[in-house]
Amino acid sequence: MKNFKYFRPKNLDELLAIKNELKEEARLLAGGSNLLVYIKEGSLKSGTLVDIGSLAALKGIREKDGYLEIGAAETIIDIMASPVVSEKLPFLRESLRVFANPLIRNISTVAGNIAEGSPIADTAPLLLVLNSEVVAASITGRRNIPIDDFFISLGKTEIKANEVIITIRIPIPETGRGKFVKLGLRKGTSCSVVSVAVWLIANGRGVEDIRIALGGVAPLPLRAVKTEALFRGKILNEHNIGELALEVTNEITPITDVRGGAAYRSEVSAALLSKAVRECLGMEE
Amino acid sequence: MDVICAGKRSITLKINGRERSLEVRPNEILLNMLRERFNLMGSKYGCGIGECGACTVLLNGRAVLSCQILAISVAGQEITTIEGISRGASHSSHAGTAPAGTLHPAGTLHPAGTLHPLQAAFIEEGAVQCGFCTPGMIISAKALLDKNPDPNNEQIKEAIRGNMCRCTGYTNIISAVKSAAKRMLKE
Ligand SMILES: Cc1cc2nc3c(=O)[nH]c(=O)nc-3n(C[C@H](O)[C@H](O)[C@H](O)COP(=O)(O)OP(=O)(O)OC[C@H]3O[C@@H](n4cnc5c(N)ncnc54)[C@H](O)[C@@H]3O)c2cc1C
Ligand code: FES
Ligand code: FES
């Protein structure tokens, strides 16, 4: 027998209080696009569904102190439609265009996307290359978790049982260009097999700085720091982009599952990285 | 603090323009509520896990999957189903009052009702075969046309990306949306 309770907190204090009291038993319900699948499939059988989907304290998209601050209950669609995002970080808007489909984007949130520590969450590589921070709150206070420290192991994040994500903070980059590419099984309604995000600061074709992150190729979404180091300082051309991108296969530990084999994932990773870098340089449209 | 709701909770919401009140369980799915409690059978149950789009409805004007939403979450909000988009449709369903097994007038057209241009265009363009995806397709298309009255093919494809059709191959569906848009622009 399924045994659910439901609670819709009216403000942040109520949310933090119930999370503190019930810990893991309080299941935050943002868009519900993951949670409702668990209920339907029966992997989630009980708990108190804490509905934060319309909690005003977790809404709002604003620029503050050089950061883009996105409330945890903001939907993907509202982030894409936000004038602040379009002006300050069009890369984010463009990247989210390949997130699921409009029906899912209309309800899904970024916080809900990363909260489960899934290696294939599409926003994870984006947040990684943008050096973002996740703001967590509990009844004892708030803390900013750098995205590099956020993902701990498969299915596990830095968020404690009495904490909730309240804001995603992204430093607004002054220079550079970004590109996010993903390969899914079907266009539209599917999660990624492999995804790659790149943020490139280049002078002509000379790499001043580069950040590379991947999803679906390790137990965690990850930054490819060794490959980044190899790219840094290079003058890129038709040949060396592909060669450098191939180095990323030494840094990842893909698995074989229903969506693809490990060797396939490796090859795809290098190909997507090469494509993303070329697009950042305007070599491909 | 508000009491945590363990059993049923009574909610009020607007469905196809009419205020409705009923008691729902905490884990009751919106799609099931619409179909079982209001006999609004237009929204279909395809996969139940967000993959097919057959259950698409409008929530405050946005196309969403009613199999992915709890009924209790939409208290106070506005739902439009396929039954609610034809002009002059009667939406005459009554929560809980339909005896099991009886035919119910919900979703049938009022004698004076006319089809929405999207519905008419889907019929004219042969965009309906088995019809299982049609309500969802039309709802997604309506959400698009409400925002963007003159979409191009790419925008239409994008808008119905979450709606699967296993019969028609999409070409006629896209033509139908285009033709409805044209008609609505002229009106
Ligand atoms: C058909 C379909 C297609 C999809 N396609 C994609 C895709 O292309 N890319 C992709 O990345 N994902 C995809 N997904 C997965 C899913 O839509 C996303 O992960 C989405 O971002 C989840 O957000 P939500 O708000 O719906 O989360 P919910 O389901 O509400 O919550 C998910 C988890 O996060 C927790 N949570 C939510 N908010 C918070 C918070 N503020 N603090 C702490 N924990 C929180 C919840 O308790 C729950 O455990 C798809 C899902 C479906 C059904
Ligand atoms: S029934 Fe809702 S998406 Fe398939
Ligand atoms: S007409 Fe049969 S699924 Fe679309």
Side-chain angles (χ1 to χ4, degrees):
Chain A
M1 187 56 195
K2 287 182 181 145
N3 183 17
F4 288 101
K5 294 177 183 161
Y6 178 86
F7 178 65
R8 191 194 302 207
K10 285 196 282 296
N11 52 46
L12 191 58
D13 285 346
E14 280 192 3
L15 169 62
L16 300 180
I18 195 159
K19 194 64 184 144
N20 198 60
E21 190 190 324
L22 300 180
K23 309 278 188 314
E24 288 95 346
E25 270 296 289
R27 297 301 302 248
L28 300 194
L29 176 72
S33 63
N34 281 333
L35 219 53
L36 273 271
V37 174
Y38 308 148
I39 294 176
K40 152 91 182 152
E41 290 179 344
S43 56
L44 183 64
K45 292 190 176 63
S46 66
T48 298
L49 304 172
V50 179
D51 193 343
I52 56 168
S54 47
L55 185 59
L58 301 185
K59 294 282 185 185
I61 302 171
R62 65 188 82 80
E63 182 192 358
K64 201 176 158 210
D65 307 331
Y67 281 77
L68 187 66
E69 296 194 337
I70 302 174
E74 283 293 344
T75 56
I76 302 282
I77 201 79
D78 284 330
I79 296 169
M80 292 172 73
S82 154
V84 189
V85 172
S86 285
E87 191 197 327
K88 301 293 177 186
L89 197 57
F91 165 62
L92 182 60
R93 183 196 59 207
E94 289 311 306
S95 304
L96 292 175
R97 291 163 73 96
V98 296
F99 189 99
N101 60 58
L103 301 170
I104 299 285
R105 294 201 288 266
N106 278 345
I107 58 169
S108 288
T109 62
V110 174
N113 192 229
I114 58 170
E116 293 177 350
S118 158
I120 55 166
D122 276 346
T123 63
L126 302 176
L127 297 180
L128 280 163
V129 296
L130 290 168
N131 280 338
S132 313
E133 290 172 4
V134 178
V135 186
S138 72
I139 54 161
T140 56
R142 296 177 182 201
R143 62 192 182 115
N144 290 14
I145 306 164
I147 193 74
D148 286 337
D149 303 337
F150 182 80
F151 300 103
I152 295 179
S153 58
L154 182 63
K156 206 167 166 338
T157 73
E158 181 53 36
I159 300 294
K160 304 280 181 284
N162 69 339
E163 284 181 323
V164 303
I165 301 171
I166 55 167
T167 313
I168 309 289
R169 292 182 88 225
I170 307 176
I172 296 167
E174 281 167 12
T175 52
R177 274 184 82 176
K179 185 70 196 175
F180 176 65
V181 281
K182 81 179 222 187
L183 181 87
L185 288 186
R186 266 179 288 150
K187 205 171 175 184
T189 301
S190 74
C191 294
S192 297
V193 176
V194 177
S195 61
V196 177
V198 168
W199 188 266
L200 176 65
I201 301 171
N203 187 350
R205 286 197 180 170
V207 180
E208 285 179 10
D209 199 5
I210 188 167
R211 294 194 292 270
I212 300 168
L214 298 95
V217 293
L220 307 176
L222 99 185
R223 270 279 293 276
V225 286
K226 291 187 191 135
T227 311
E228 289 175 5
L230 294 172
F231 265 100
R232 223 164 272 133
K234 295 277 184 331
I235 310 286
L236 298 177
N237 59 43
E238 291 293 342
H239 302 293
N240 65 1
I241 292 179
E243 283 163 17
L244 287 162
L246 207 53
E247 296 291 336
V248 83
T249 58
N250 299 322
E251 243 181 305
I252 58 181
T253 51
I255 54 156
T256 294
D257 70 5
V258 288
R259 295 197 182 85
Y264 173 69
R265 281 198 157 95
S266 272
E267 263 183 56
V268 168
S269 304
L272 292 185
L273 173 56
S274 161
K275 180 174 161 64
V277 170
R278 293 169 60 91
E279 292 205 18
C280 284
L281 291 169
M283 292 166 74
E284 206 173 273
E285 278 316 322
Chain B
M1 189 184 282
D2 216 20
V3 274
I4 297 174
C5 153
K8 287 189 173 181
R9 172 182 289 191
S10 102
I11 62 164
T12 300
L13 74 165
K14 230 182 207 178
I15 303 176
N16 295 336
R18 276 180 61 172
E19 196 115 306
R20 301 293 196 172
S21 295
L22 77 161
E23 289 200 325
V24 293
R25 282 171 288 112
N27 61 329
E28 190 159 337
I29 305 292
L30 177 60
L31 173 63
N32 298 347
M33 182 197 85
L34 292 169
R35 290 178 58 87
E36 290 160 17
R37 314 281 294 276
F38 292 97
N39 218 11
L40 292 164
M41 297 293 188
S43 313
K44 300 292 185 246
Y45 181 102
C47 63
I49 53 166
E51 303 267 350
C52 75
C55 64
T56 308
V57 300
L58 295 178
L59 168 63
N60 305 323
R62 281 182 177 180
V64 296
L65 299 166
S66 63
C67 74
Q68 296 251 291
I69 292 178
L70 292 178
I72 203 167
S73 296
V74 297
Q77 307 194 49
E78 200 167 340
I79 302 290
T80 307
T81 67
I82 187 72
E83 288 89 346
I85 78 156
S86 47
R87 295 161 182 186
S90 67
H91 334 303
S92 55
S93 61
H94 303 282
T97 58
T102 53
L103 262 181
H104 198 279
T108 51
L109 282 182
H110 189 272
T114 49
L115 293 177
H116 185 278
L118 274 163
Q119 294 173 307
F122 266 63
I123 297 170
E124 282 160 21
E125 298 286 333
V128 182
Q129 280 187 33
C130 79
F132 201 78
C133 69
T134 312
M137 284 288 177
I138 290 183
I139 293 288
S140 282
K142 180 170 188 320
L144 170 70
L145 297 187
D146 288 346
K147 275 192 316 210
N148 176 2
D150 191 16
N152 60 30
N153 280 4
E154 273 316 303
Q155 292 163 328
I156 297 172
K157 278 189 204 163
E158 179 57 28
I160 60 168
R161 188 144 273 161
N163 298 86
M164 306 268 154
C165 176
R166 53 181 191 175
C167 310
T168 63
Y170 301 99
T171 313
N172 295 4
I173 294 174
I174 294 164
S175 317
V177 178
K178 282 215 121 157
S179 124
K182 260 199 210 120
R183 191 176 314 190
M184 289 164 75
L185 280 174
K186 276 194 207 133
E187 277 176 6

